[in-house]
Amino acid sequence: MTRLRFALLNAAHDGANTRRNFRRELDADLVEFSASDGHLPDHTEFDGVVVTGSRSSVYWDEEWIPPLIDYVAEAADAGLPVLGVCYGHQVLAEALGGRVAGMDGFEIGYNEVRHRGDDALFAGIDEEFTVFTTHGDAVVDLPPSATLIAENDHGVHAFRDGHCWGVQFHPEYDLRTAREVTEGKRERLGDARVDGVLADISPEAYDAACEAKGLFDNFAEYARRLRTDPESVAAAGD
């Protein structure tokens, strides 16, 4: 069977860790575009679209952000499966008519998230699961036709709208990325908070968080089914 071909819209300004992590986790040929440099596809001839994290906020006045939101809206309208991760989750929400805003606090470190229902993205993942989180923005209004499928005390952690999913957490992170991202928050969060989070970034916590990596295989399997047998996907309602 021909391998899946996904557009990877890399919104990270220094994308090396991001590139490594997504290429490791996604069982597909990835055509990468540096979205934060203004590079986007000029078509939607892919089996799916994946939008990465970023240090930017979707509501910032940066010229590359509106075209990214527009492209994601176009891809969703064309019926492509879309997976948005952290910033990508927020981009997807905005693209589909939702709203993102700054949080009162900042969620960072290995935390617990609960998913609800039996959505295909979370097949094989426990109802309550561990993930690495790092965000100061959140989806505060879901898109009109979206369904909340995961949350914790900090708010929305996943939603679905048709063939599109957004997840606020970072299932792609490895230990190296978790440590480097946390170190980079000292100016914003202070040494005490950062040192406390770093103390909890352990192989044991990472092993627990690896369960959530299964959503990448679930997304790829959904895209594969949609490509080969769209009628059965529609009939199954998933």
Side-chain angles (χ1 to χ4, degrees):
M1 181 182 294
T2 306
R3 277 175 61 79
L4 294 168
R5 185 168 175 265
F6 290 163
L8 179 65
L9 309 185
N10 193 340
H13 297 268
D14 182 6
N17 277 348
T18 301
R19 180 179 303 112
R20 180 186 73 250
N21 289 334
F22 280 96
R23 288 191 176 279
R24 181 185 62 243
E25 301 299 341
L26 283 164
D27 183 18
D29 291 332
L30 302 182
V31 184
E32 185 178 348
F33 299 85
S34 180
S36 55
D37 291 326
H39 300 147
L40 293 169
D42 58 5
H43 61 84
T44 57
E45 299 302 312
F46 301 101
D47 296 309
V49 174
V50 179
V51 191
T52 76
S54 178
R55 65 171 182 261
S56 296
S57 294
V58 295
Y59 48 78
W60 285 1
D61 183 18
E62 296 186 357
E63 63 181 12
W64 64 274
I65 296 175
L68 172 60
I69 294 172
D70 289 346
Y71 179 80
V72 170
E74 179 185 354
D77 189 58
L80 271 65
V82 178
L83 176 65
V85 176
C86 196
Y87 177 78
H89 155 88
Q90 297 164 12
V91 166
L92 179 63
E94 290 277 348
L96 299 179
R99 185 170 69 90
V100 174
M103 298 162 57
D104 291 336
F106 196 97
E107 184 181 19
I108 186 169
Y110 285 107
N111 289 295
E112 298 301 307
V113 169
R114 302 173 299 277
H115 74 80
R116 53 171 65 179
D118 56 357
D119 191 87
L121 191 70
F122 291 114
I125 298 172
D126 287 344
E127 182 179 353
E128 186 164 318
F129 57 99
T130 300
V131 286
F132 194 87
T133 64
T134 171
H135 64 112
D137 294 332
V139 174
V140 294
D141 293 323
L142 289 173
S145 56
T147 300
L148 175 68
I149 58 173
E151 63 188 331
N152 68 6
D153 293 343
H154 293 274
V156 175
H157 262 281
F159 70 88
R160 179 179 183 174
D161 194 335
H163 302 311
C164 302
W165 288 270
V167 296
Q168 180 61 71
F169 51 89
H170 282 281
E172 82 282 9
Y173 271 17
D174 53 19
L175 279 170
R176 171 181 167 186
T177 307
R179 288 171 178 144
E180 288 183 5
V181 168
T182 303
E183 279 286 356
K185 295 292 187 292
R186 287 190 181 275
E187 183 175 345
R188 179 168 184 172
L189 301 178
D191 289 340
R193 177 94 185 269
V194 167
D195 289 343
V197 173
L198 286 171
D200 291 332
I201 298 177
S202 65
E204 292 77 17
Y206 172 73
D207 286 347
C210 281
E211 178 188 22
K213 292 179 181 294
L215 69 82
F216 289 115
D217 288 340
N218 292 339
F219 178 74
E221 176 59 24
Y222 182 90
R224 188 174 295 109
R225 288 171 52 215
L226 190 65
R227 182 179 71 178
T228 58
D229 194 1
E231 291 184 3
S232 72
V233 173
D238 64 359

